Amino acid sequence: HSVITGDVGVSPIAQAAMTGFSLVSNTEGTFATSAQVLGKLYAANDIAPTPVKMTIAVGDMETAYTDAAGRADYDHLEYNSGSLGGLTLSPGLYKFGTNVEFTSDCTLSGSSQDTWIFQIAGEMAIAANMKIILAGGALARNIVWVVAGKSTYGANSHFEGIILGATSAEFVTGSSINGRVLVQTAVTLQQTTVTSETTIHNCPPGTYKDVQDQLGVILPTPCANCPTNSFSPAESSALSLIQDAYTAHPDDDFARMEASSASAAQAWAAIPLNINADGSNVHPWETAIDFLNTLGHA
């Protein structure tokens, strides 16, 4: 089995194309869940409004591909003839007219504000047991691989960044990626670990993280630099209550849960969430569980 942290979607093909996940549709039929996915699985034939959202998502993916592939002010042309194993790559735009390969580890070194774009006209492959290493604070969400051909990830290899592919991506047994896989034909996973870059942080387990921009969550003690203060016993208890409530009632929201569960209301009060100025927009349980996932407590 694979392990995916984040959502999965297919369009315009139907849910049946997502094989091997043992899908279970929610009550409304707007998404499915799987024991292999810490998130939701969407398809073009789900109940509205999912089909429209999927069409928009595909359009956004294609726009992103066109934009990234079309950028002309490159910093490096045919860098090391596309053989990037053993190299340390600085931020910038890399353009390749043929294939790119990694036959040994490759390091991307830069700050958390730096970006990398790799325009690859051919195919991309990383060999078995090789890995992309991030250094200096570099983040997977700031790395984009634009691949016109197929991309292949060898057994037990590890990759970092967002894959924008015009064709397919194949992950061999034991491979992993921190980032996203957005391709226009098919993704094959063989006991692969996929972790969305929005859930990744470098804090020690059990510490705070500044996730306000990602999830709209106000932490009990908001911070921007990941201090090492752990959750208090009361906060840890609240997190557990929220997780238990979500597990029992994944399609419910807090307004309904609060009416029937004093413990749930107490838990929610211990983890204050953003609401609109007029008091509207109570967050659903899925926001709370995303909050847990991001902090490593789910």
Side-chain angles (χ1 to χ4, degrees), residues 2 4 8 17-24 33-37 41 189:
S2 294
I4 300 173
V8 178
M18 294 188 284
T19 59
F21 284 106
S22 300
L23 299 176
V24 177
T33 58
S34 167
Q36 300 179 58
V37 180
L41 299 94
L189 306 175

Side-chain angles (χ1 to χ4, degrees), residues 19 22 46 48 68 89 91 101 113 115 123-124 140 150 153 155 171 182 216 222 244 250 263 276:
T19 59
S22 300
D46 286 339
L89 304 179
E101 63 177 3
Q113 304 303 312
T115 60
E123 299 180 353
M124 181 177 72
K150 70 177 181 179
Y153 308 83
F171 291 82
L182 306 172
D244 291 345
S263 61
N276 293 333

Side-chain angles (χ1 to χ4, degrees), residues 48-287:
T50 300
V52 172
K53 292 183 176 180
M54 292 304 304
T55 298
I56 293 172
V58 170
D60 289 345
M61 175 188 69
E62 293 171 341
T63 298
Y65 181 93
T66 300
D67 178 275
R71 299 196 180 193
D73 297 329
Y74 56 80
D75 300 292
H76 306 281
L77 180 63
E78 311 297 349
Y79 193 78
N80 206 48
S81 301
S83 182
L84 304 185
L87 302 180
T88 296
L89 304 179
S90 59
L93 175 58
Y94 293 75
K95 185 178 182 65
F96 300 93
T98 55
N99 298 338
V100 165
E101 63 177 3
F102 302 90
T103 55
S104 57
D105 295 349
C106 176
T107 300
L108 275 58
S109 182
S111 74
S112 61
Q113 304 303 312
D114 287 326
T115 60
W116 290 256
I117 297 178
F118 297 88
Q119 299 172 337
I120 303 168
E123 299 180 353
M124 181 177 72
I126 182 169
N129 303 308
M130 300 302 112
K131 57 185 176 293
I132 302 297
I133 301 169
L134 303 186
L139 298 175
R141 66 170 178 252
N142 294 335
I143 304 163
V144 179
W145 307 86
V146 190
V147 188
K150 70 177 181 179
S151 56
T152 307
Y153 308 83
N156 300 308
S157 65
H158 177 73
F159 215 78
E160 297 274 351
I162 299 170
I163 310 299
L164 288 173
T167 55
S168 63
E170 180 181 357
F171 291 82
V172 181
T173 304
S175 57
S176 62
I177 180 172
N178 290 336
R180 304 189 194 191
V181 185
L182 306 172
V183 299
Q184 299 180 33
T185 57
V187 177
T188 303
L189 306 175
Q190 299 175 18
Q191 298 179 24
T192 299
T193 300
V194 181
T195 306
S196 170
E197 84 288 352
T198 62
T199 66
I200 300 167
H201 63 85
N202 297 318
C203 301
T207 60
Y208 286 103
K209 167 141 174 74
D210 178 12
V211 294
Q212 295 183 73
D213 290 340
Q214 294 184 42
L215 300 177
V217 173
I218 300 177
L219 300 179
T221 306
C223 66
N225 299 311
C226 299
T228 57
N229 51 315
S230 298
F231 290 121
S232 69
E235 291 160 356
S236 295
S237 176
L239 289 168
S240 296
L241 285 169
I242 289 175
Q243 184 178 11
D244 291 345
Y246 177 85
T247 301
H249 303 275
D251 296 326
D252 219 338
D253 63 23
F254 177 67
R256 292 193 293 270
M257 288 295 295
E258 185 178 22
S260 60
S261 173
S263 61
Q266 179 183 5
W268 201 264
I271 306 295
L273 300 179
N274 282 333
I275 57 175
N276 293 333
D278 62 1
S280 63
N281 191 30
V282 176
H283 287 270
W285 287 107
E286 63 190 62
T287 299

Side-chain angles (χ1 to χ4, degrees), residues 29-45:
T30 54
F31 64 85
T33 58
S34 167
Q36 300 179 58
V37 180
L38 192 56
K40 299 174 181 177
L41 299 94
Y42 299 93
N45 65 328

